Amino acid sequence: MKFGKIKHMVIFCLKHDKDSPEEKKFLQDGESLLKQIPGVNNFEVLKQTSSKNDYDFGFSMEFNDEQAYEIYSKHPSHVSFVEQRWLKEVESFLEIDFKNI
Amino acid sequence: MKFGKIKHMVIFCLKHDKDSPEEKKFLQDGESLLKQIPGVNNFEVLKQTSSKNDYDFGFSMEFNDEQAYEIYSKHPSHVSFVEQRWLKEVESFLEIDFKNI
């Protein structure tokens, strides 16, 4: 990752059954909605496979700077995804942000 | 990240004072020792900046497959770093592994 960029990740569990259509739909909708937001780069939907934490999935993305991150956070598509889907379908989550040292 | 690869990350806090020489040395030694292990790709030392968790730093690396991950885990340089430095200098940590879906 280039200096100055921010890698934003969230690891999470869903309320849906494992391998259910609802699980798949949440991941697909999240990806298609969030990666369209201006300033979002390298969006990835990931499976969390370590047995040393309790989370099942991850969304990962990069921003060029703090301003792009703020635009994302306040963007109507993000706000609406959080309100309409995230708060209803996510069981637990942890947010992580990385910068280069 | 290409399909089949594994991204391994650990986020952590050190027992050392913030911005101390000991903190810097731990991060530098960790990077120089661990990234030399065969099969470790894209090793990064990161600052964890989200206020929504309690961790200060991250090590991130990629492996081509499970076998490379296992070689890393059992490698004498890794085992010795964990025993000699990690267990003594790290306050708390969380491991995360990602695969593509």
Side-chain angles (χ1 to χ4, degrees), chain A residues 1 44 47 53 95 99, chain B residues 1 44 47 95 99:
Chain A
M1 188 166 62
E44 288 183 300
K47 184 151 60 165
N53 74 61
E95 290 184 65
K99 288 183 184 173
Chain B
M1 189 167 62
E44 288 184 300
K47 183 152 60 166
E95 290 185 64
K99 288 183 184 172

Side-chain angles (χ1 to χ4, degrees), chain B residues 40-60:
Chain B
V40 171
N41 298 318
N42 301 327
F43 192 97
E44 288 184 300
V45 180
L46 300 157
K47 183 152 60 166
Q48 199 299 117
T49 59
S50 173
S51 59
K52 296 177 186 172
N53 73 63
D54 294 330
Y55 301 99
D56 295 325
F57 299 105
F59 286 161
S60 172

Side-chain angles (χ1 to χ4, degrees), chain A residues 4 6 38-39 63-74:
Chain A
I6 301 155
F63 302 107
N64 282 340
D65 51 35
E66 291 285 354
Q67 195 185 2
Y69 191 174
E70 204 176 317
I71 286 168
Y72 165 81
S73 297
K74 294 178 177 172

Side-chain angles (χ1 to χ4, degrees), chain B residues 4-70:
Chain B
K5 290 195 176 186
I6 301 156
K7 189 187 287 277
H8 170 58
M9 291 186 299
V10 57
I11 51 178
F12 56 96
C13 287
L14 292 171
K15 293 178 182 171
H16 305 305
D17 289 340
K18 295 280 158 67
D19 300 320
S20 63
E22 291 78 12
E23 175 188 280
K24 195 173 176 184
K25 184 161 169 48
F26 180 89
L27 299 174
Q28 284 177 341
D29 290 350
E31 179 174 23
S32 62
L33 279 166
L34 300 176
K35 79 179 187 185
Q36 287 183 54
I37 297 174
V40 171
N41 298 318
N42 301 327
F43 192 97
E44 288 184 300
V45 180
L46 300 157
K47 183 152 60 166
Q48 199 299 117
T49 59
S50 173
S51 59
K52 296 177 186 172
N53 73 63
D54 294 330
Y55 301 99
D56 295 325
F57 299 105
F59 286 161
S60 172
M61 66 206 78
E62 288 179 20
F63 301 107
N64 282 340
D65 51 35
E66 292 285 355
Q67 194 186 1
Y69 191 175
E70 205 176 316

Side-chain angles (χ1 to χ4, degrees), chain A residues 74-97:
Chain A
K74 294 178 177 172
H75 193 281
S77 297
H78 177 248
V79 173
S80 132
F81 181 73
V82 169
E83 286 173 0
Q84 301 300 319
R85 307 293 301 277
W86 191 268
L87 295 176
K88 294 174 185 170
E89 299 175 56
V90 170
E91 181 72 38
S92 59
F93 67 98
L94 180 74
E95 290 184 65
I96 303 159
D97 293 331

